[in-house]
Amino acid sequence: MKNSDRFLLAFNRITFTLRKIVKAREHLTFYRLIELAKKKSPLVKKYEDDLRTFADLRNVIVHHRVSEEFVIAEPHIQVVERIEYIDQLLDRPSLVGQVFRKKVVTFQTTDSLKDALDIVQQRKYTQFPIYEGKEFQGLVTTVGITNWLADVANHKILVYEMPTMKDILHYEKKRVNYKFISRYLTVYHAKEFFKEGVERGKRYDALLITEHGKPHQKLIGIITPLDLMKVP
């Protein structure tokens, strides 16, 4: 198969995917599809420049085709592989429930801080979802633990016994330093949540994954900003 044929097949598949994203019921130009789809899909937004370049090249191939056997512009193999790669990403984006599903270490409000410190030492974890029974209470981070230690060092509090996780929750300066998300969201939506949080001055320490993003549902995964740095 010629490079131009592979390119056009991938382009047509992307067009179909964009139409699904925006739920288009009428004819829209490819450029218009990009404009609408990037508002709903972080992936389209990320690859917007590539998609516009593909549209320009597609127009050259289609409108300046001399015959079925000869095209005036035959795409380079790297261009073909690039559009096929983006086509696959748009058609089957990685979901957070697939990539970040794992057993999450959680604590009860009555658990001792020592238990969390043991986990920090052993596994280097830095975020701990806290529950009271089955009800979510908040997210304890190493920053909150450090804030507690600072108060101890400055003699603002007297320590007679190791505090509970509920005590440490009070030292999280940002009480809503988390967001629950559905396992069906794409990894790229998760990236956008962290990015938008920073832009609004509301930085998230973790995204907590449940079936439909509800706090009362079983926790099936957790995403930290560091986790997403490994995602291309």
Side-chain angles (χ1 to χ4, degrees), residues 13 20 54 97 102 157 159 161 164 169 196 211:
R13 288 194 298 265
K20 283 200 304 182
F54 296 152
K102 59 186 175 184
I157 58 173
V159 180
E161 59 183 20
T164 65
L169 266 179
E196 291 170 2
E211 183 73 12

Side-chain angles (χ1 to χ4, degrees), residues 131-153:
Y131 287 81
E132 193 167 277
K134 294 184 178 180
E135 187 174 345
F136 181 78
Q137 297 297 307
L139 186 74
V140 161
T141 69
T142 48
V143 172
I145 296 172
T146 302
N147 289 338
W148 173 80
L149 287 171
D151 265 6
V152 172

